[in-house]
Amino acid sequence: MATKHKIKVDKCNLFYGENHALHDIDLTIESNNIVALIGPSGCGKSTFLRTLNRMNDLIDSVRINGSIYVDGTDIYDPSTDVVSLRKRVGMVFQRPNPFPMSIYENVAYGPRIHGTKKKAQLDEIVERSLVQAALWDEVKDRLNKSALGLSGGQQQRLCIARLLAVEPDVLLMDEPTSALDPISTLKVEELTQTLKDKYTIIIVTHNMQQAARISDYTSFFLNGFLVESDKTDKIFTTPSDQRTEDYITGRFG
């Protein structure tokens, strides 16, 4: 059984060279919740999101201290297998980034890399993942067609299906609907509601209405600090910090 606290962040600091970008972040995230990260541009939301699967490791000048635990294991421990971590804690980016190959091969790519070779098994994974991503009915008759022929919204759901195919525990979403039209945005939002039964979802969004609609908890970042984190309805109705209220009501940001 998964621990109640899926992720625990303890005094996390991040530096880009001399720039202190995240300051003493403390945050606990429970399983099977959607957590929205909000705040003005450049406040550290996406940087923080990327600490959760060590994507910042790819930037030479980055230094991190503090601890981040996923299911009780410190992911910054030197013994951590980063490939395995990124399989468990996957990411969906701001712009859809399907591979230039067929819809089927996009979804089968991850399982193949991790050792699944049998076609029947891959067929089952591809169908299950596309069903989970609410895309199967739209693409089942053209699985061998290029993924680049899909609409932007379909491409984003394909990227989600590609992530689900490797059976992660946590989905990180970095403004996943910012490049999408309103109808596609709604489909992705609806999708998050069905996925949280099985996954823990952390989403960066600039859209206050979206955060209020889809998240269970909201964390407000400002200038690299986590100002407050609480149940979404409390953050949006009676926040503890005046700066949170000022941001949510549009006084800045």
Side-chain angles (χ1 to χ4, degrees), residues 28 37 56 71 77 101-102 125 172 180 183 217 220 242:
T28 300
L37 309 182
N56 291 311
D71 288 330
D77 187 280
M101 52 180 70
S102 72
I125 291 169
L172 308 178
L180 303 182
I183 291 171
Y217 290 84
F220 172 54
Q242 184 63 43

Side-chain angles (χ1 to χ4, degrees), residues 7-138:
I7 296 172
K8 188 172 192 322
V9 181
D10 187 18
K11 295 285 181 286
C12 177
N13 288 272
L14 181 142
F15 301 82
Y16 291 111
E18 297 303 308
N19 176 28
H20 195 172
L22 294 176
H23 300 259
D24 285 336
I25 306 295
D26 288 323
L27 184 63
T28 300
I29 294 171
E30 297 175 9
S31 297
N32 305 108
N33 279 293
I34 299 175
V35 178
L37 309 182
I38 64 169
S41 294
C43 68
K45 306 181 298 297
S46 294
T47 296
F48 173 71
L49 192 73
R50 291 194 298 268
T51 66
L52 302 178
N53 71 347
R54 292 185 52 174
M55 290 289 283
N56 291 311
D57 288 16
L58 304 171
I59 304 169
D60 287 340
S61 64
V62 163
R63 286 183 297 118
I64 295 174
N65 58 47
S67 302
I68 297 178
Y69 300 91
V70 177
D71 288 330
T73 299
D74 186 351
I75 65 171
Y76 282 91
D77 187 280
S79 65
T80 296
D81 180 340
V82 178
V83 173
S84 172
L85 170 67
R86 291 184 189 144
K87 179 174 180 284
R88 290 172 54 215
V89 184
M91 183 170 279
V92 177
F93 296 94
Q94 187 170 355
R95 292 195 171 274
N97 59 342
F99 301 142
M101 52 180 70
S102 72
I103 294 167
Y104 181 98
E105 290 299 334
N106 262 271
V107 184
Y109 182 85
R112 277 195 216 277
I113 292 286
H114 291 287
T116 303
K117 303 296 182 198
K118 291 183 178 173
K119 180 152 190 327
Q121 218 174 340
L122 288 168
D123 288 350
E124 189 274 325
I125 291 169
V126 169
E127 179 172 349
R128 183 189 69 229
S129 303
L130 289 168
V131 167
Q132 278 189 295
L135 191 56
W136 174 252
D137 288 340
E138 295 169 47

Side-chain angles (χ1 to χ4, degrees), residues 2 12 16 36 47 58 61 67 72 78 104 134-135 143 146 148 160 179 192 201 208 211 215 227 232 235:
C12 177
Y16 291 111
T47 296
L58 304 171
S61 64
S67 302
Y104 181 98
L135 191 56
L143 293 177
S146 171
L148 302 179
I160 293 169
T192 63
I201 300 172
M208 294 300 97
S215 67
V227 174
T232 293
I235 290 284

